[in-house]
Amino acid sequence: MNEIEIYQGNIKIRKDRFPPIRSMVNTFRSSLDSAAELDALGVPFIAGTAEQHGNYDCWSPFSLGALAALAFTTKNLRFQPTALPLPQQEPLRVAEDLALFDVISGGRAEGGFGYGYCPRHFAVTGTERDGRAGRLMEGMEVVRLALSQEEFSFSGRHFQFDRVRVHPRPIQKPHPPLWLLGGTSPLGAKRAGAHGFPFLAYGMSIDELRYASEVYYQAASDAGVDKSQLRLGMGELGIWVGRTHDEARKYIDGFMRGHEWETYVSYGWMVNDKEHGRDQSFNSGDYREGMALTPAAQNWVDSQRLCTPDEAIEYMQELVDLGVTRMFAPFGNPRLIMQEVLPHFIPQLSGSLTSG
């Protein structure tokens, strides 16, 4: 058996379209209950919530604040935004928030930073998509310097700081882990490796991840990065677990009829609207079964895998053999995942779960 860290996707601060305030309060309280249940297992779960801006279904626009509330009800869980779109943020303020979160949580905070991609989110925050990769890498370096040094200066293309101090100081030394999340290509892996950041890949096949891993470690070596700074993770696995493939298919079909899929559609990279005189639309969430998807969305659909518990374990073991030490929990039947799949990698789960 192989113990790894698992992102548990049940903790999300959002609700259906246009929810009343009372509904959002109940949703958040449900997230608190979910966090407490996971925490009681005492296993290496990572809890996170996506940060989105201006979304109709109320994904959290302040991920560190939402996670800080969860930290008050737990003792073991670690917390990470999945992901905080740093190019839409002021990095010094993010460093201050993360330092305070690390103190509040007793040293259980982590940074999880991404490029951001939805046009609406950039519009809401008054930022530009152009140049986001450069702002992300500079911003992550600013956060690292601010949290690891008593006083720092930085001069880059996008940010300049002179003799700045951040207080309070984080508990974790030299700083909380700072992951580059959302990399879907070898270029993301190369950037993370060259800068010495842990890297969480998304949307890659085994062969693509193997190549990205080689690029990641080679870029780090070329830059003189100490290999101890590096870690490789895998985001959404693209596997759906059921007792049979037919059962697993029901879960993915249900997902594509749900509001979370509608949210993704509304980002603008899912529905191909060329037949209506538009390119990829990001204003509408009017996807219907059979509607043409963009190549990126169709690739996501085609890459999903239907798995029995044994098949899911086999696939996850391939990732472990590649050096992955952290990954998202599979989708699908939660009982099978918690009782039959994850215990293979988290031995403490064996015998600790009821059959409810």
Side-chain angles (χ1 to χ4, degrees):
M1 292 191 292
N2 303 275
E3 185 169 335
I4 58 176
E5 293 177 322
I6 296 291
Y7 282 101
Q8 178 51 259
N10 288 339
I11 299 178
K12 292 182 178 179
I13 314 304
R14 53 157 174 68
K15 190 61 177 174
D16 291 340
R17 172 189 290 228
F18 305 125
I21 295 298
R22 180 178 298 176
S23 177
M24 283 304 300
V25 170
N26 292 335
T27 298
F28 190 77
R29 288 175 178 169
S30 176
S31 294
L32 293 175
D33 292 340
S34 297
E37 291 173 4
L38 286 173
D39 188 67
L41 298 174
V43 298
F45 279 124
I46 313 296
T49 184
E51 177 163 322
Q52 311 285 2
H53 298 273
N55 269 37
Y56 61 77
D57 66 349
C58 298
W59 285 61
S60 172
F62 182 29
S63 53
L64 290 176
L67 293 174
L70 299 182
F72 275 114
T73 65
T74 59
K75 296 180 180 179
N76 302 300
L77 292 183
R78 296 188 64 81
F79 297 97
Q80 180 187 76
T82 53
L84 190 156
L86 196 55
Q88 300 167 13
Q89 314 277 342
E90 202 290 313
L92 188 59
R93 177 56 189 267
V94 171
E96 291 178 321
D97 290 346
L98 186 55
L100 181 59
F101 180 27
D102 200 46
V103 173
I104 288 173
S105 65
R108 292 182 285 141
E110 301 194 7
F113 305 113
Y115 299 89
Y117 61 93
C118 177
R120 182 196 312 123
H121 301 162
F122 284 91
V124 169
T125 56
T127 53
E128 299 290 335
R129 293 179 85 246
D130 292 345
R132 58 187 173 145
R135 294 201 305 279
L136 172 63
M137 301 318 301
E138 281 195 16
M140 289 186 68
E141 185 60 35
V142 168
V143 173
R144 177 162 57 186
L145 289 171
L147 298 183
S148 61
Q149 299 185 13
E150 290 292 336
E151 181 179 279
F152 81 98
S153 297
F154 180 85
S155 180
R157 178 180 178 183
H158 302 282
F159 305 107
Q160 294 82 37
F161 298 98
D162 183 41
R163 300 182 64 183
V164 175
R165 294 171 178 256
V166 165
H167 292 285
R169 305 302 300 161
I171 291 176
Q172 297 177 85
K173 304 300 181 185
H175 53 76
L178 305 174
W179 287 72
L180 195 162
L181 273 61
T184 59
S185 72
L187 181 56
K190 183 177 182 180
R191 291 186 181 118
H195 289 265
F197 292 115
F199 176 68
L200 187 85
Y202 273 81
M204 294 186 184
S205 67
I206 287 288
D207 289 340
E208 290 170 335
L209 181 63
R210 182 178 291 108
Y211 177 66
S213 173
E214 294 171 356
V215 170
Y216 177 57
Y217 288 109
Q218 186 60 55
S221 176
D222 292 345
V225 173
D226 189 328
K227 195 171 182 178
S228 65
Q229 295 179 236
L230 307 178
R231 291 185 63 191
L232 183 65
M234 184 65 171
E236 293 181 355
L237 304 183
I239 61 177
W240 299 76
V241 179
R243 183 62 67 189
T244 65
H245 285 187
D246 285 342
E247 182 190 344
R249 185 175 289 108
K250 291 179 181 178
Y251 282 98
I252 189 171
D253 288 346
F255 173 82
M256 292 184 67
R257 291 192 298 267
H259 77 275
E260 188 165 352
W261 174 259
E262 184 177 317
T263 299
Y264 294 153
V265 170
S266 75
Y267 290 171
W269 64 276
M270 304 293 276
V271 177
N272 189 335
D273 278 347
K274 288 183 178 179
E275 66 270 26
H276 296 138
R278 302 190 299 267
D279 202 342
Q280 296 167 205
S281 168
F282 71 90
N283 290 316
S284 66
D286 59 357
Y287 172 79
R288 295 295 180 269
E289 187 173 354
M291 184 179 289
L293 300 178
T294 65
Q298 191 62 55
N299 180 67
W300 183 91
V301 172
D302 294 341
S303 68
Q304 303 306 291
R305 302 170 59 155
L306 306 177
C307 294
T308 64
D310 287 343
E311 290 169 338
I313 290 171
E314 181 179 358
Y315 177 70
M316 293 171 69
Q317 184 62 52
E318 289 186 69
L319 297 177
V320 172
D321 293 342
L322 276 179
V324 170
T325 61
R326 177 180 290 192
M327 67 182 73
F328 274 54
F331 301 123
N333 186 316
R335 178 177 172 182
L336 291 181
I337 292 167
M338 291 294 289
Q339 295 188 353
E340 299 189 24
V341 177
L342 295 188
H344 182 83
F345 303 96
I346 306 176
Q348 303 97 302
L349 280 178
S350 299
S352 65
L353 299 168
T354 65
S355 58

